[in-house]
Amino acid sequence: MSTGNEFNCGLDSRAVPSIRYAQAVPQIYSINRDACLGCGICETVCLAKAVRYADEPRRTQIEVGAVIVAAGTEVFDPLKLDTYEYALLPNVVTSLEFERILSASGPYRGRLMRPYDREEPKKIAWLQCVGSRDINRADHSYCSSVCCMYAIKEAVIAMEHAHGPLDAAIFYMDIRSHGKDFERYYERAREHGVRFVRSRVHSITPGKDGDLELVYVDDQGRQQGETFDMVVLSVGLQAPREVVQVAQRLGVELDKNNFVKTDSFSPVQSSRPGVYVCGAIQGPKDIPQSVTEASASAAAAGMLLHETRWKETTEKKVTAETNVTGEPPRIGVFVCQCGINIGGVVDVPKVREYAKSLPFVTYVEDNLYTCSQDTQVKMAQVIREQGINRVIVAACTPRTHEPLFQETLIDAGLNKYLFEMANIRNQDSWVHSQDPAAATAKAKDLIRMAVAKAALLEPLKETLLDVIPVTMVVGGGVAGMTAAKALADQGFEVHLVEKSQRLGGNARSLFRTWRGEDIQAFVGSLVDTVENNPQIKVYKSAELTRVQGFVGNFTSELLLSDGNRTEIRHGIAILATGGTEFKPAEYLYGADPRIMTHLELDSMIMAGKAPRGEDGATVFVQCVGSREPQHAYCSRVCCTHTMESALHLRKTNPEMPIYVLYRDIRTYGEREDLYTEARRQGVIFVRYDVDAKAVVKAAPTGLEITLNEPILQRPVTLKADRLVLSTAIVPSVSEELGQFFKVPINEDGFLVEAHPKLRPVEFATEGVFVCGMAHSPKSIDESIAQALAAASRATTLLSTDKISVSGAVAETQQAICSECGTCVNVCPYSAPSFNTKGKAEINPGLCKGCGLCTASCRSGAIKLKGFDDSQIFAMIESV
């Protein structure tokens, strides 16, 4: 292809290097095969017809029944803005670049430095909403959902990394800590010393020696100026151009922000049947929601393809397990630096050399990140080559990483229980960060103890349990019904238990979604579908009175409305007990019919009794009962609900004055457009402080709501004919339910998942899953996605005949059991029971290996596999 005019690759201007001059013939273009995506644009535009696809296929045609798009997102490029001088000022960095600065694998090896002079900054500012909530940019008017929380996290971590005092200031419009436990993290950051300044910084001016001058107006209207060593731009998320092209090739519809378009009732279904989406390509969201949607997409694909399950799968080949019985211990020790989390405090080389001197240790190495994929592959290779038969990883917590390392042992042909983990991060470097010498000495102690135990480890066998392919769903709201339908549509039998007289839950009282969809029509259709599905048995006005059993084999008892009792045998349980609207004891609620909750307003609208324009003003009050000591969390949906209601009232009553009293407006994601539209249509927003709430007085002529206006700095009185309280969502989870299924409940009353990011719909108790508002406050589309996710995770168990349970369980030596019953009384999981001979025995399906029975046994008849007395005493003696 001759040069002619300069040619640009069709990907975009950044991909121009994918076409370069060949060294041998300078006037001929050569295709960079690694960069080429095979789009075919160059083949189409080439006048000489000199470009063609390579002989070896660049495109591979595969036949699939469903497609899941999880293409992700990218951060906004601040070069598009000249406001912050990002390209010219080296100490102005993006939040993603600051993450790299804090990372041990980053340019400064995790040491807090500013780019200008490599000095540690003493004062850092975070500027929020860069590339988000921008009313001057139609394609970035939305909220990116994650920026507030990652800025708070970065500020807290930066303060921990700093060797001296660090002034961390976050400049914001609204703090949007709307996720589970996010509000508490926000409050802890304030207590930690992070400053929060409500202001939108207009520009950054260079100062002396790389310093940065910020001028802003505070919330009292006063102009302020501050000098910072460094500024971090909290950049938003956007759909990458390449991903947009992929979506277009797939034929799926995009919204105005170039995210894949879905609706609230099918949150992972694209406009093209069989094509599903998850993660930030559907809209800005955090990791827990992305992981949840990933499982939800799998469930949607599973419902479509369930008749072909296992027909196109290949079973993973498992390496034959090496028999190490009778072999002398050959221990391999792998010490992790965990970036600077460990390596910045503990002298890892010294620890590594010390480990070499310990008995039975035949191999030692240290790694930057032992959990990385390349290290896992190398570890398996080393185990095989060195003949290692016991493995120790000195790193972080086994809670998150032990299963990963155990999988590596399996791949290397070792029994997964020939593994021990020394936690030299959580129990050492983090708690002794100010004393490296002591931390190094303690790391040696922990590894010496681990070696002493590892030398006595024996292979353990896991128990196989039969699975009853039946699910019981507790709760008949939208989440519970969605989960039940998702499983029934895959051919599984489901029992749906609802305590009230009808299905539907809170959705029965909701008018429309934030997108304007009719909730009542959806709920009515879903109820009809569920009640007429032959795979679903519905129990209404039923109460769960007893649960026994374990994963794969539960027996639950229900008290029915007619007074009779029935038993259900099921292998899986999904808890979807929902939540309720908080009824406040403030703002004269209950004393005046003109003061109502938001659900009561929705009920009025659906009953045709919505307020009319001639009725006078409507005032909404946000955060009633939320973000306060009694409910120290954000209820997530209230702000969006208020925007939708205000806009509906404005549409039906254009002349009605509408006021919203708020603390922070939290219309996250594309819900921000509702907030923008409400302001455009004249809805007036007045901020209030939690320590100075509005005072309500009732009079025959109307309500008087008085509060301090923060801009005017004086009290103002609003006259209204109705007051709508956006009250908290409180969980409908009983302590009894938690005890039935041995699942934890947090201080707010919500169920606690196994891990907020890695296992957002599972519990530590196997075979039990959670979805909907029993987990935390959420909207209908999020509840549906989580219900699909719970069904997806349940399917992984239901679709197999047998499952294995941990080998690290207790067992009894019945010959010396004294039949005292202590183990039966103390076990929180009901694993011990008396057999026909009166001796205690442990059900391995129920046992979680907590060791409580072992420690309590007076006769020493109970042993915990993997934690035998000899192993524990060896660790103690080694200290």
Side-chain angles (χ1 to χ4, degrees):
M1 182 172 66
S2 58
T3 57
N5 295 328
E6 186 65 28
F7 180 82
N8 285 340
C9 172
L11 296 175
D12 58 37
S13 59
R14 292 172 294 172
V16 170
S18 65
I19 299 182
R20 61 192 178 202
Y21 289 116
Q23 294 180 357
V25 186
Q27 293 185 347
I28 300 297
Y29 276 112
S30 172
I31 307 297
N32 181 343
R33 302 171 69 85
D34 293 330
C36 178
L37 295 183
C39 67
I41 293 178
C42 58
E43 181 184 20
T44 303
V45 302
C46 180
L47 299 178
K49 304 299 181 184
V51 181
R52 63 179 177 81
Y53 284 104
D55 293 334
E56 65 271 25
R58 297 291 299 176
R59 295 175 175 176
T60 301
Q61 183 172 333
I62 56 175
E63 294 184 0
V64 297
V67 175
I68 296 177
V69 183
T73 185
E74 67 180 7
V75 297
F76 174 78
D77 184 359
L79 285 173
K80 298 176 182 178
L81 304 175
D82 57 8
T83 307
Y84 303 119
E85 303 287 356
Y86 168 70
L88 302 177
L89 302 176
N91 289 336
V92 177
V93 300
T94 67
S95 47
L96 191 59
E97 290 166 344
F98 193 75
E99 291 276 352
R100 297 303 303 148
I101 289 174
L102 293 176
S103 174
S105 60
Y108 308 143
R109 296 184 60 82
R111 287 169 175 77
L112 182 60
M113 298 180 185
R114 64 180 196 167
Y116 176 75
D117 51 13
R118 306 297 195 270
E119 294 292 328
E120 182 175 297
K122 301 294 189 296
K123 197 173 183 182
I124 305 177
W126 278 261
L127 307 188
Q128 298 306 106
C129 301
V130 177
S132 298
R133 302 183 67 186
D134 190 342
I135 59 175
N136 297 314
R137 297 179 62 88
D139 58 342
H140 286 82
S141 60
Y142 55 86
C143 165
S144 289
S145 298
V146 301
C147 316
C148 286
M149 290 311 300
Y150 76 55
I152 296 172
K153 179 206 69 173
E154 287 181 353
V156 170
I157 294 176
M159 296 178 77
E160 293 172 348
H161 280 224
H163 292 87
L166 174 65
D167 182 357
I170 296 178
F171 291 81
Y172 72 101
M173 293 192 289
D174 300 281
I175 289 295
R176 294 188 167 173
S177 50
H178 51 271
K180 187 174 184 178
D181 291 330
F182 286 6
E183 185 72 13
R184 280 194 170 85
Y185 191 84
Y186 167 40
E187 291 299 331
R188 285 199 301 270
R190 292 166 64 110
E191 296 168 1
H192 197 64
V194 177
R195 284 195 295 137
F196 291 87
V197 183
R198 190 186 293 271
S199 180
R200 188 78 182 255
V201 176
H202 175 268
S203 58
I204 302 173
T205 304
K208 296 180 180 179
D209 297 325
D211 291 347
L212 304 165
E213 305 285 346
L214 270 62
V215 178
Y216 60 93
V217 176
D218 64 20
D219 56 0
Q220 277 79 46
R222 298 171 300 193
Q223 182 171 305
Q224 304 284 356
E226 284 192 66
T227 300
F228 289 87
D229 300 326
M230 195 172 180
V231 170
V232 181
L233 305 179
S234 294
V235 288
L237 304 179
Q238 64 185 19
R241 183 181 302 183
E242 294 85 352
V243 172
V244 172
Q245 293 174 345
V246 170
Q248 291 171 342
R249 289 175 196 155
L250 287 170
V252 300
E253 187 177 352
L254 304 177
D255 65 19
K256 68 184 184 70
N257 298 312
N258 282 330
F259 298 114
V260 176
K261 191 172 184 179
T262 62
D263 65 55
S264 297
F265 307 134
S266 303
V268 295
Q269 170 66 63
S270 74
S271 59
R272 182 176 181 179
V275 179
Y276 307 99
V277 296
C278 59
I281 189 59
Q282 189 263 351
K285 53 180 60 71
D286 58 11
I287 292 174
Q289 187 64 23
S290 295
V291 173
T292 297
E293 287 183 2
S295 291
S297 296
M303 287 186 280
L304 181 67
L305 306 175
H306 74 277
E307 292 181 352
T308 62
R309 181 175 285 126
W310 304 125
K311 293 182 179 179
E312 298 290 335
T313 56
T314 302
E315 188 172 348
K316 179 183 177 181
K317 293 182 179 179
V318 179
T319 305
E321 185 176 304
T322 303
N323 185 359
V324 302
T325 305
E327 291 184 4
R330 292 179 55 83
I331 300 175
V333 179
F334 298 84
V335 185
C336 183
Q337 298 177 31
C338 197
I340 64 167
N341 281 297
I342 295 173
V345 179
V346 175
D347 189 337
V348 172
K350 280 188 177 180
V351 173
R352 179 193 64 214
E353 294 306 311
Y354 173 77
K356 292 179 180 179
S357 68
L358 297 173
F360 304 114
V361 172
T362 60
Y363 182 86
V364 182
E365 71 171 43
D366 65 284
N367 312 102
L368 183 60
Y369 291 106
T370 306
C371 60
S372 66
Q373 180 61 36
D374 57 337
T375 304
Q376 295 300 296
V377 173
K378 180 185 176 184
M379 185 185 296
Q381 182 180 353
V382 167
I383 291 171
R384 288 189 291 264
E385 292 177 351
Q386 300 291 326
I388 294 171
N389 57 23
R390 308 286 191 282
V391 175
I392 294 172
V393 173
C396 54
T397 171
R399 179 173 179 242
T400 55
H401 285 77
E402 185 178 52
L404 172 68
F405 297 124
Q406 288 181 328
E407 283 294 322
T408 302
L409 264 68
I410 293 173
D411 292 340
L414 279 183
N415 184 281
K416 63 188 284 187
Y417 296 100
L418 297 173
F419 172 78
E420 182 65 17
M421 200 160 180
N423 189 343
I424 62 172
R425 187 189 70 177
N426 304 48
Q427 297 176 1
D428 188 13
S429 64
W430 279 3
V431 292
H432 303 295
S433 59
Q434 304 303 316
D435 192 348
T440 300
K442 185 174 181 179
K444 293 178 181 179
D445 290 340
L446 291 170
I447 291 175
R448 186 170 66 251
M449 294 166 67
V451 168
K453 179 185 176 185
L456 299 175
L457 289 175
E458 294 294 336
L460 301 179
K461 297 297 181 182
E462 296 186 337
T463 302
L464 288 177
L465 302 175
D466 292 327
V467 177
I468 301 173
V470 177
T471 301
M472 182 176 72
V473 179
V474 184
V478 166
M481 289 191 292
T482 299
K485 179 179 180 298
L487 291 170
D489 286 350
Q490 297 180 68
F492 297 112
E493 180 183 339
V494 181
H495 295 263
L496 179 60
V497 181
E498 168 56 37
K499 66 180 180 181
S500 68
Q501 296 178 358
R502 62 177 186 168
L503 301 178
N506 281 299
R508 290 281 191 183
S509 303
L510 290 171
F511 178 43
R512 296 193 185 278
T513 70
W514 68 274
R515 292 187 174 101
E517 298 126 325
D518 187 340
I519 293 177
Q520 293 311 302
F522 165 74
V523 172
S525 174
L526 181 60
V527 170
D528 288 343
T529 300
V530 167
E531 290 186 335
N532 292 296
N533 192 312
Q535 292 294 110
I536 302 175
K537 170 67 175 177
V538 178
Y539 304 84
K540 289 181 280 191
S541 299
E543 180 185 351
L544 184 65
T545 57
R546 178 173 56 84
V547 176
Q548 293 179 326
F550 45 88
V551 56
N553 194 347
F554 290 102
T555 300
S556 298
E557 183 185 76
L558 301 180
L559 176 61
L560 304 179
S561 57
D562 58 5
N564 293 322
R565 297 177 184 269
T566 186
E567 281 192 348
I568 301 173
R569 295 193 66 223
H570 54 101
I572 300 296
I574 296 177
L575 308 184
T577 51
T580 59
E581 186 182 47
F582 174 66
K583 303 298 183 182
E586 56 184 341
Y587 298 110
L588 297 184
Y589 177 76
D592 192 304
R594 295 168 296 184
I595 302 170
M596 65 197 74
T597 67
H598 217 142
L599 288 188
E600 291 167 352
L601 173 65
D602 273 19
S603 297
M604 288 178 59
I605 293 174
M606 290 187 290
K609 300 178 181 179
R612 299 184 300 274
E614 59 268 24
D615 289 341
T618 297
V619 176
F620 293 85
V621 182
Q622 302 305 108
C623 299
V624 178
S626 293
R627 304 176 63 194
E628 296 189 42
Q630 58 181 335
H631 305 120
Y633 53 87
C634 170
S635 291
R636 190 177 178 96
V637 302
C638 317
C639 288
T640 302
H641 195 177
T642 291
M643 301 306 131
E644 193 278 329
S645 296
L647 287 171
H648 177 77
L649 293 179
R650 175 64 76 206
K651 181 179 180 180
T652 55
N653 305 277
E655 304 303 320
M656 176 188 291
I658 301 175
Y659 302 90
V660 177
L661 313 185
Y662 73 100
R663 293 172 61 188
D664 291 281
I665 293 295
R666 293 181 170 177
T667 46
Y668 57 94
E670 295 182 289
R671 293 162 172 82
E672 179 71 11
D673 289 342
L674 294 178
Y675 181 29
T676 303
E677 182 63 17
R679 299 200 309 273
R680 192 186 69 79
Q681 293 198 23
V683 176
I684 298 174
F685 293 83
V686 183
R687 186 166 51 83
Y688 76 91
D689 189 85
V690 68
D691 297 323
K693 294 181 180 180
V695 176
V696 181
K697 292 183 180 179
T701 56
L703 301 171
E704 293 184 356
I705 301 106
T706 303
L707 76 160
N708 188 64
E709 212 289 331
I711 297 177
L712 299 177
Q713 287 290 292
R714 55 173 292 180
V716 296
T717 299
L718 306 175
K719 294 186 177 181
D721 278 7
R722 73 203 56 79
L723 180 65
V724 182
L725 306 179
S726 294
T727 61
I729 293 173
V730 293
S732 300
V733 177
S734 66
E735 290 186 11
E736 190 176 41
L737 182 71
Q739 292 169 357
F740 281 158
F741 290 101
K742 310 299 185 294
V743 295
I745 301 173
N746 70 11
E747 56 190 310
D748 298 319
F750 296 102
L751 295 170
V752 180
E753 64 276 30
H755 191 284
K757 292 182 174 64
L758 305 180
R759 300 171 64 191
V761 298
E762 301 172 58
F763 293 105
T765 300
E766 293 183 272
V768 186
F769 304 90
V770 63
C771 62
M773 292 197 297
H775 169 271
S776 64
K778 51 181 60 68
S779 59
I780 279 186
D781 53 333
E782 293 164 341
S783 290
I784 292 173
Q786 196 173 41
L788 292 173
S792 175
R793 301 307 301 154
T795 302
T796 62
L797 300 176
L798 293 170
S799 58
T800 58
D801 295 329
K802 295 181 181 294
I803 58 172
S804 60
V805 295
S806 173
V809 295
E811 64 176 355
T812 57
Q813 300 176 59
Q814 297 190 12
I816 58 174
C817 174
S818 62
E819 306 175 23
C820 67
T822 301
C823 58
V824 176
N825 294 328
V826 302
C827 179
Y829 302 102
S830 304
S833 61
F834 290 115
N835 60 21
T836 55
K837 298 179 181 179
K839 302 292 185 178
E841 62 182 15
I842 309 295
N843 185 329
L846 289 172
C847 181
K848 300 303 173 187
C850 69
L852 194 56
C853 61
T854 306
S856 303
C857 182
R858 299 166 184 171
S859 58
I862 302 179
K863 304 296 182 184
L864 181 58
K865 298 177 182 179
F867 296 89
D868 192 71
D869 287 354
S870 61
Q871 297 165 355
I872 300 300
F873 285 128
M875 296 177 74
I876 295 172
E877 290 167 2
S878 72
V879 178

